[in-house]
Amino acid sequence: MPLVERGQREVFCGLTGIIWLHRKIQDAFFLVVGSRTCAHLIQSAAGVMIFAEPRFGTAIIDERDLAGLADVHEELDRVVGQLLARRPDIRLLFLVGSCPSEVIKLDLSRAAERQNQIHHPKVRVLNYSGSGIETTFTQGEDACLAAMVPGLPASAADTAPALMVVGTLADVVEDQMRSLFDRMGLQVSFFPPRNSQAMPAVGPGTRYLLAQPFLADTARALQSRGAQHLPAPFPLGVEGTTAWLQAAATELGVAPEVFEQATAAPRQRAEKALAVQRQMLQGQRIFFFPDSQLEIPLARFVHRELGMDLVEVGTPYLHRQHMAAELALIPAGTRISEGQDVDLQLDRCIADAPDLVVCGLGLANPLEAQGITTKWAIELVFTPIQGYEQAADLAGLFSRPLKRRLKLAA
Amino acid sequence: MQLTLWTYEGPPHVGAMRVATAMTDVHYVLHAPQGDTYADLLFTMIERLPRRPPVTYTTFQARDLGGDTAELFKDAARQAMARFNPAAMLVGSSCTAELIQDDPGGLAQALQLTIPVVALELPSYQRKENWGASETFYQLCRHLVHKPADPSETANKPAKARPSCNILGPSALGFRHRDDVKEITQLLNQLGVDVAVVAPLSASVADVQKLAEADFNVVLYPEIGLAAAQWLQRQFDQPYTKTVPLGSHATRDFIAEVCTLTGLPQPAQDPSNAHAHWYAKSVDSTYLTGKRVYIFGDATHVVAAARIASQEMGFEVVGLGSYSREFAREVRDCGKRYGVEALITDDYLEVETQIQSLQPELILGTQMERHIAKRQGIPCAVISAPVHVQDFPARYAPQMGFEGANVLFDTWVHPLMMGLEEHLIGMFREDFEFHAGAAPSHLGSTRPAAENVAPIVAAPVSAPLSAPVATTTPMPVAAHAPTETLSTDSVQKVAAPAQAASNQATWSPEAEKELGKIPFFVRGKARRNTERFAQDQGVATITVETLYDAKAHYSR
């Protein structure tokens, strides 16, 4: 049983998902309806990206909106009009709810409907919530994808089973996966798509693999459209990637020798590259603070393929069903924690004195200053880490801070 | 509602965090939803603090809203008290908690803590970061400052005691606050003034309690320290300095002001490290004369930078503005001194538009202006927050005092072409290393040359290598004339959209080639001036003659 904690949480809210989602769906714009804090958060998280005419922004609620002096919906009309005039290339607009908009019960679904009528057919308008009160970090992607599911085209009821990969993957990873499935003779669609005009179809024939562990609501929404989930570990490391591909291959009737032929070369290449990293990481003790829900699959990877010892694996939210295949691969008795009370968790962490701590940027430097080596977690979300070709890169993310510590100590 | 892509200031509770984090034994209990802890990383990453900011967040979630968020707040405050044992506590709400209307002040009072508790009212939907910092520091002073000992006792102080002052305003996440404090402390010490308390940066609660005991206050950053200084003056007759010692002139004024306040003798000479003044006089700086500069940032740094630019560097201030609405009047007054209308806005798109129309040769601004400048290919230096991690440097880099003036001289001149370099480029302008398409060295050799020209016109510049060497015969003025002779009134002409003009006049191949001989950093302007001239004169084809006619026209 995991340790379940409630208390102060040092985590991002779901708005942060916009940072990678907007890069994936190239004709979408994400308009947060929130406060200056929301704008400041996205700006701080996006860093330098903010200056490249990014496809996200904030409609800042001000006192006139709160006092009811301005009709919020009319205000939103004005802001959306202003935005779309400035960015005529936008075809899909997300109105993204925040804590302030949720607390004042601003009905963004109604607002989205209204905007849809105004801007149809050029722009489609959807809404979801990325608020901190409802979502933690990567759950923002879940909410976004779940909002898109009802609008996906329906595939014909009698079509043969088709494969869909669900969850944002870096384009380079997506291309690799597509080519692996090609070699197995499988047609595959990816969700979210790179362009809002190329939404994948969904229906009872759809079999979907989750590429990311944080997609509970999206999975539920796909299920309600008749799609079937293929349970599998997540495609991190050689083992995870192989098992993930295997789940699809088995379901869709790929012959074992075809599977072997398609995966043998990249698998061996990745194993060879991992062996180098393993020397550095074998026997090192690692502690994960909760951040993205990627922690359990990452812990499985570093333990089984790199020989690291797991001290604590924290996750903001544990979806037992989606995580079942992963949990089966984690040694029994591993301390898994769900939720957070950050001060207590820091006490545990310092008492455990792990060799490497995976945590957010708010904790990383303070822990380093106490002599504890850290790996900041957000990088694991922004960097391509899935699949065979990235397995060693992923391992490198863990070994680099340790290597650096050795170098500077020398 | 306001459409925002980028914001110069964070919400006011981030200002409060800046004050709490600056101090040594204050803890801030912030009623805020999950996610607002993002602000921690401003301090741990941008300022590279080796400790967590002293802030406890209640991090309430949706499921808490139906229940008792007030109890959640009380628990958080109680636990923060037990764990961190602060000497004073700040309590308040972030923007979302402001909406759910728990009362952190009242709730904290009910806990009957044994330490001073300061309740902050920070209206998140009206005010911003600097206001939040100022208000927090002011409230801390109101709650903490002790009445100084009886004046009769003060009179018994040994006659030889040196006058003392406090330094008010420096905070966490402040642009160069660390080094400014060091520089100004040294300067005051040399004058014979002791610095009693620096606050809020590095101050303890006990330090703040003693603020009224000093003879006067030095307000380094009015955005954060002025409200507290004014209150201290009202309450305790403690005067404060009005001059911010940014730049050599202002530093001298500041010294004079301190000497008037204390009755100390004014030093006859600048200290031996005051190099900036001589550097600006040295002949290599002649080329800086009349460089057109645009200034944007917080009010204090903008007003000071305008004075330095104009009086100490010999630039021409062609535009200025600030995002500090609280100090809009000061910035507008400053604008009037330089004959420009100040832009008061927090919308970077307005700043970008103004920069585009003014086409300055140097931009002094925040990291936002740095990016605008990069896009437009204009040299730029950072003078004000918000700044990114590289502007919290490891090396000593004050902005204030005489060393600060040295730092400013180097920082501002560096992105410009140094005089000697400019001269050499004029001399060897057909040389392979300095050919028409070469990028400025400070922008890196990999930068595609096209970027310099592309926004202005589509026509390619003729290949410079094939140009005849004979043209090294002098036209050195051509390089500089269009730039240096542009006065503020001709700016209006430049402001006209370049695109429209370029559509109307055609360049003859010879004129195009001649244009290519003008160094790239003024070529765009020469092109635009020529096209505007051609349009005004109704010339359809621009010849070499037209080019020189235009040059003569704008040189008048």
Side-chain angles (χ1 to χ4, degrees):
Chain A
M1 279 306 285
L3 172 68
V4 179
E5 279 190 310
R6 295 211 46 196
Q8 182 181 327
R9 291 165 72 111
E10 185 88 16
V11 288
F12 280 124
C13 65
L15 293 182
T16 329
I18 293 172
I19 312 290
W20 65 89
L21 280 167
H22 89 281
R23 295 185 62 210
K24 188 71 198 180
I25 315 174
Q26 290 158 10
D27 56 352
F29 193 101
F30 294 79
L31 180 65
V32 177
V33 181
S35 64
R36 181 167 301 280
T37 312
C38 306
H40 198 234
L41 158 90
I42 301 183
Q43 170 173 327
S44 308
V48 148
M49 227 190 281
I50 201 88
F51 306 108
E53 235 349 70
R55 282 174 287 101
F56 53 79
T58 309
I60 295 188
I61 298 170
D62 57 34
E63 44 178 348
R64 292 175 59 249
D65 303 309
L66 293 179
L69 289 177
D71 181 281
V72 179
H73 288 278
E74 279 171 23
E75 281 291 288
L76 211 49
D77 286 357
R78 182 178 58 77
V79 168
V80 169
Q82 194 185 346
L83 173 71
L84 293 177
R86 194 180 147 74
R87 300 299 301 267
D89 51 324
I90 298 306
R91 306 297 302 275
L92 177 60
L93 174 69
F94 287 100
L95 300 179
V96 188
S98 65
C99 300
S101 74
E102 296 293 329
V103 168
I104 63 171
K105 304 216 185 307
L106 183 58
D107 190 346
L108 283 186
S109 67
R110 222 185 83 209
E113 253 171 57
R114 185 183 154 105
Q115 298 302 326
N116 255 326
Q117 282 162 8
I118 301 175
H119 299 285
H120 181 81
K122 206 181 156 279
V123 184
R124 244 183 94 212
V125 186
L126 294 175
N127 78 289
Y128 72 90
S129 171
S131 73
I133 55 177
E134 290 157 308
T135 58
T136 305
F137 196 27
T138 47
Q139 279 178 309
E141 171 170 337
D142 189 23
C144 173
L145 300 196
M148 275 192 278
V149 171
L152 294 182
S155 57
D158 54 349
T159 43
L163 181 63
M164 180 193 272
V165 169
V166 181
T168 299
L169 291 171
D171 285 357
V172 55
V173 178
E174 193 177 297
D175 291 343
Q176 288 168 12
M177 295 301 191
R178 191 188 298 278
S179 122
L180 283 168
F181 285 121
D182 275 353
R183 273 183 254 162
M184 292 180 224
L186 294 180
Q187 281 288 315
V188 60
S189 60
F190 288 87
F191 180 61
R194 295 184 196 187
N195 189 295
S196 73
Q197 303 302 296
M199 290 286 180
V202 66
T206 304
R207 304 286 180 274
Y208 68 92
L209 273 177
L210 292 177
Q212 301 283 8
F214 41 73
L215 299 172
D217 289 349
T218 308
R220 207 170 301 128
L222 286 167
Q223 223 101 335
S224 73
R225 299 277 314 258
Q228 285 174 40
H229 177 220
L230 304 179
F234 294 94
L236 297 169
V238 176
E239 183 184 40
T241 305
T242 306
W244 186 77
L245 293 168
Q246 184 72 64
T250 307
E251 171 72 18
L252 298 167
V254 175
E257 57 277 12
V258 174
F259 182 81
E260 180 60 22
Q261 210 166 27
T263 57
R267 205 169 63 216
Q268 279 155 18
R269 193 161 52 222
E271 274 166 358
K272 209 171 139 199
L274 273 182
V276 183
Q277 299 285 347
R278 192 183 170 95
Q279 287 175 348
M280 179 82 204
L281 292 168
Q282 181 99 43
Q284 301 281 332
R285 300 168 64 247
I286 189 167
F287 188 115
F288 288 87
F289 275 79
D291 191 55
S292 63
Q293 298 183 46
L294 278 162
E295 295 83 5
I296 291 173
L298 287 170
R300 179 262 303 159
F301 164 68
V302 300
H303 174 68
R304 291 175 62 95
E305 299 187 44
L306 299 169
M308 297 183 83
D309 292 338
L310 307 177
V311 178
E312 174 168 336
V313 185
T315 177
Y317 177 71
L318 180 59
H319 192 290
R320 279 162 184 75
Q321 202 187 333
H322 288 173
M323 214 49 87
E326 292 286 354
L327 289 170
L329 296 173
I330 288 211
T334 299
R335 194 206 299 156
I336 293 174
S337 63
E338 183 183 8
Q340 186 176 39
D341 185 324
V342 71
D343 289 318
L344 297 182
Q345 196 168 26
L346 278 167
D347 288 348
R348 284 203 299 278
C349 176
I350 286 159
D352 289 333
D355 298 301
L356 186 66
V357 174
V358 181
C359 62
L361 290 173
L363 300 178
N365 272 337
L367 282 171
E368 290 280 351
Q370 293 189 51
I372 295 176
T373 307
T374 60
K375 164 71 224 132
W376 43 286
I378 320 171
E379 200 178 5
L380 297 160
V381 177
F382 289 115
T383 315
I385 56 169
Q386 293 85 359
Y388 291 125
E389 313 303 341
Q390 282 68 238
D393 299 347
L394 174 56
L397 291 178
F398 295 101
S399 64
R400 197 169 303 125
L402 291 166
K403 233 181 254 173
R404 182 165 184 79
R405 186 166 193 86
L406 282 178
K407 270 185 189 278
L408 296 184
Chain B
M1 260 177 215
Q2 185 202 356
L3 177 60
T4 310
L5 303 175
W6 198 80
T7 148
Y8 283 99
E9 288 183 79
H13 72 259
V14 169
M17 285 181 71
R18 291 178 55 186
V19 171
T21 306
M23 293 182 63
T24 58
D25 52 2
V26 168
H27 200 86
Y28 184 18
V29 180
L30 182 61
H31 207 15
Q34 164 176 277
D36 279 4
T37 51
Y38 82 88
D40 281 0
L41 65 88
L42 303 173
F43 298 90
T44 60
M45 295 306 291
I46 296 179
E47 199 174 2
R48 291 189 222 245
L49 282 192
R51 58 182 187 278
R52 296 173 65 206
V55 183
T56 293
Y57 305 80
T58 54
T59 52
F60 55 83
Q61 291 173 271
R63 59 185 168 194
D64 302 315
L65 288 180
D68 203 349
T69 48
E71 201 51 48
L72 206 61
F73 179 86
K74 275 157 76 175
D75 284 346
R78 222 179 271 127
Q79 280 164 18
M81 186 64 210
R83 176 172 287 267
F84 300 103
N85 193 25
M89 191 183 276
L90 296 170
V91 298
S93 295
S94 81
C95 52
T96 305
E98 196 181 329
L99 299 171
I100 62 175
Q101 295 181 334
D102 289 331
D103 170 22
L107 293 170
Q109 210 169 24
L111 293 178
Q112 298 193 307
L113 301 177
T114 51
I115 55 165
V117 175
V118 180
L120 299 172
E121 294 286 341
L122 304 175
S124 311
Y125 298 89
Q126 280 166 275
R127 307 289 191 160
K128 288 180 280 192
E129 179 179 330
N130 279 336
W131 187 88
S134 170
E135 172 71 9
T136 303
F137 184 46
Y138 163 68
Q139 291 296 346
L140 266 171
C141 289
R142 283 195 55 164
H143 281 79
L144 297 178
V145 174
H146 286 163
K147 231 180 134 112
D150 194 76
S152 57
E153 281 175 45
T154 323
N156 291 337
K157 263 199 297 189
K160 284 183 80 177
R162 284 154 54 108
S164 69
C165 70
N166 305 307
I167 292 182
L168 302 184
S171 74
L173 219 59
F175 175 62
R176 307 295 167 87
H177 288 195
R178 178 196 70 189
D179 296 344
D180 283 348
V181 166
K182 191 172 169 198
E183 187 64 23
I184 296 309
T185 302
Q186 277 169 6
L187 189 139
L188 288 163
N189 288 345
Q190 278 161 14
L191 287 175
V193 179
D194 287 333
V195 173
V197 174
V198 177
L201 191 63
S202 309
S204 65
V205 168
D207 289 335
V208 173
Q209 286 171 334
K210 288 189 301 203
L211 276 179
E213 290 170 21
D215 296 315
F216 68 103
N217 287 314
V218 168
V219 180
L220 280 197
Y221 308 100
E223 276 87 350
I224 300 173
L226 184 61
Q230 286 171 336
W231 179 79
L232 287 164
Q233 185 178 41
R234 284 197 302 274
Q235 294 295 310
F236 306 108
D237 276 334
Q238 203 176 24
Y240 64 89
T241 57
K242 318 275 194 301
T243 317
V244 179
L246 271 162
S248 308
H249 289 355
T251 301
R252 275 183 222 117
D253 291 352
F254 172 78
I255 290 172
E257 193 181 359
V258 169
C259 292
T260 311
L261 279 174
T262 55
L264 289 166
Q266 257 195 75
Q269 277 179 330
D270 288 348
S272 58
N273 71 332
H275 307 299
H277 181 57
W278 160 243
Y279 269 46
K281 273 173 73 177
S282 77
V283 292
D284 192 61
S285 299
T286 311
Y287 284 85
L288 301 176
T289 314
K291 286 264 185 218
R292 307 173 64 254
V293 60
Y294 183 84
I295 307 172
F296 196 88
D298 70 24
T300 301
H301 286 87
V302 163
V303 171
R307 181 174 179 193
I308 299 166
S310 168
Q311 296 173 19
E312 298 178 33
M313 305 291 276
F315 295 155
E316 183 191 347
V317 177
V318 294
L320 60 80
S322 174
Y323 57 81
S324 310
R325 277 187 199 282
E326 293 85 4
F327 293 84
R329 192 193 299 157
E330 285 82 349
V331 179
R332 287 208 178 89
D333 287 349
C334 172
K336 280 186 201 131
R337 285 200 288 281
Y338 301 100
V340 297
E341 192 177 333
L343 176 68
I344 308 295
T345 183
D346 54 4
D347 182 352
Y348 78 91
L349 295 172
E350 279 187 53
V351 179
E352 186 171 33
T353 310
Q354 196 175 49
I355 289 175
Q356 208 148 19
S357 72
L358 290 172
Q359 282 294 316
E361 291 160 278
L362 176 67
I363 298 170
L364 304 174
T366 71
Q367 61 161 325
M368 193 63 231
E369 283 66 46
R370 201 162 57 81
H371 285 270
I372 293 172
K374 203 187 275 178
R375 265 206 295 266
Q376 301 194 20
I378 301 172
C380 176
V382 170
I383 58 156
S384 157
V387 294
H388 211 52
V389 61
Q390 70 268 33
D391 277 303
F392 282 89
R395 67 175 189 281
Y396 186 53
Q399 304 283 290
M400 294 187 178
F402 291 110
E403 189 57 35
N406 298 340
V407 169
L408 289 175
F409 182 89
D410 289 347
T411 311
W412 295 11
V413 170
H414 182 84
L416 292 169
M417 205 71 68
M418 294 293 282
L420 189 61
E421 199 176 339
E422 241 184 78
H423 171 70
L424 288 175
I425 287 178
M427 216 165 113
F428 300 119
R429 64 177 177 269
E430 300 302 327
D431 211 79
F432 75 98
E433 275 175 306
F434 298 112
H435 66 81
S441 55
H442 63 277
L443 294 178
S445 53
T446 51
R447 188 183 151 87
E451 270 186 49
N452 292 314
V453 209
I456 296 147
V457 83
V461 176
S462 59
L465 278 176
S466 57
V469 189
T471 46
T472 20
T473 16
M475 206 193 41
V477 217
H480 310 296
T483 333
E484 288 169 355
T485 53
L486 266 177
S487 58
T488 20
D489 49 348
S490 61
V491 165
Q492 294 307 319
K493 297 177 180 165
V494 185
Q499 216 60 44
S502 68
N503 288 342
Q504 286 165 23
T506 344
W507 286 75
S508 73
E510 295 76 26
E512 188 74 53
K513 206 168 182 178
E514 196 70 19
L515 184 70
K517 295 170 192 167
I518 298 173
F520 55 84
F521 41 85
V522 283
R523 194 182 306 134
K525 204 160 295 139
R527 178 186 286 278
R528 240 163 316 149
N529 281 354
T530 310
E531 283 165 355
R532 148 100 17 201
F533 177 78
Q535 200 184 353
D536 290 350
Q537 303 291 314
V539 176
T541 307
I542 296 172
T543 61
V544 178
E545 291 298 305
T546 324
L547 184 66
Y548 286 110
D549 286 345
K551 173 176 169 303
H553 175 78
Y554 286 109
S555 303
R556 82 210 128 125

